[in-house]
Amino acid sequence: MAQFFEVHPDNPQQRLLKQAAALLARGEIVAVPTDSSYALACHLDDKDAVDQLRRIRQVDEKHHLTLICRDLSELANYARVDNKQYRLLKAATPGPYTFILEATKEVPRRVSHPQRKTIGLRMPDHKVLCELLTLHGEPLLATTLIPPGETEAMNDAAQIRERFEKQIGGVIDAGACPSEPTTVVDLVPMGTGGDPVLVRQGRGSLALLGL
């Protein structure tokens, strides 16, 4: 049975977020609010949790999971970032963007793309999630909460709990999210002199990226 944490979106109760962080540390999956939609998140280094994340979404290892980071310095531990890429990242974060970058050796091989050795990374602009990341002390591995066979992300915490309460450890209810996916941009071509490639247009402004 999933635990349910109802928190204030602007001033979340630390006691409840600490309980949610403890679930993540124990290898549980938690549904979390973001600046785009709700997502499923787990501990990066927990293989069983990552496998469960993929089972819930019914996606294989070629589906990019996303590392949610607190800041650019943390992001740089998990992705190879040159000066041009860094400037673009700095201009667009925090915000509703997912950036595909070459993964470093800090990223477990099982969670990066098997052929490209890339990983999706993002720094959300969401008070509750940022405080949860601080309490957790390291990035979270996440995927947008889109039920199998559907195309829209779930955005109602009570419905998430009802539907997935036997598959996840907890749900953080901070109210409705914008319910629009992130803009996904592949920055890997920049490493060899190319331009960023728009993979999916979502909530983030393309003008910030020069696209």
Side-chain angles (χ1 to χ4, degrees), residues 13-79:
Q13 301 90 318
Q14 292 293 300
R15 173 180 59 85
L16 297 179
L17 290 185
K18 285 178 181 177
Q19 292 176 28
L23 286 178
L24 291 163
R26 292 205 304 266
E28 297 280 2
I29 293 171
V30 177
V32 299
T34 78
D35 52 358
S36 58
S37 64
Y38 274 82
L40 295 173
C42 71
H43 196 291
L44 170 63
D45 292 324
D46 193 308
K47 181 183 184 300
D48 291 339
V50 175
D51 289 344
Q52 174 70 352
L53 204 67
R54 293 190 188 278
R55 280 194 296 271
I56 293 172
R57 283 290 317 278
Q58 292 184 15
V59 295
D60 62 20
E61 69 277 2
K62 294 180 182 178
H63 178 87
H64 267 114
L65 299 176
T66 301
L67 270 184
I68 302 179
C69 300
R70 289 175 287 182
D71 53 40
L72 282 177
S73 62
E74 188 170 72
L75 183 149
N77 289 331
Y78 296 91

Side-chain angles (χ1 to χ4, degrees), residues 78-136:
Y78 296 91
R80 302 186 192 284
V81 180
D82 66 19
N83 289 336
K84 284 178 63 179
Q85 291 166 331
Y86 185 86
R87 285 195 295 271
L88 189 149
L89 290 166
K90 191 171 183 180
T93 57
Y97 300 92
T98 300
F99 299 101
I100 297 172
L101 287 156
E102 185 182 350
T104 67
K105 292 180 180 178
E106 296 297 318
V107 178
R109 185 172 296 178
R110 64 180 177 274
V111 304
S112 61
H113 191 281
Q115 277 86 43
R116 298 186 65 201
K117 302 297 185 289
T118 50
I119 186 76
L121 296 107
R122 82 186 212 83
M123 289 169 46
D125 186 13
H126 193 284
K127 176 76 170 177
V128 173
L129 183 51
C130 289
E131 294 205 12
L132 179 67
L133 285 166
T134 298
L135 289 169
H136 184 62

Side-chain angles (χ1 to χ4, degrees), residues 170-184:
V171 180
I172 298 177
D173 180 5
C177 300
S179 197
E180 187 177 356
T182 58
T183 289
V184 180

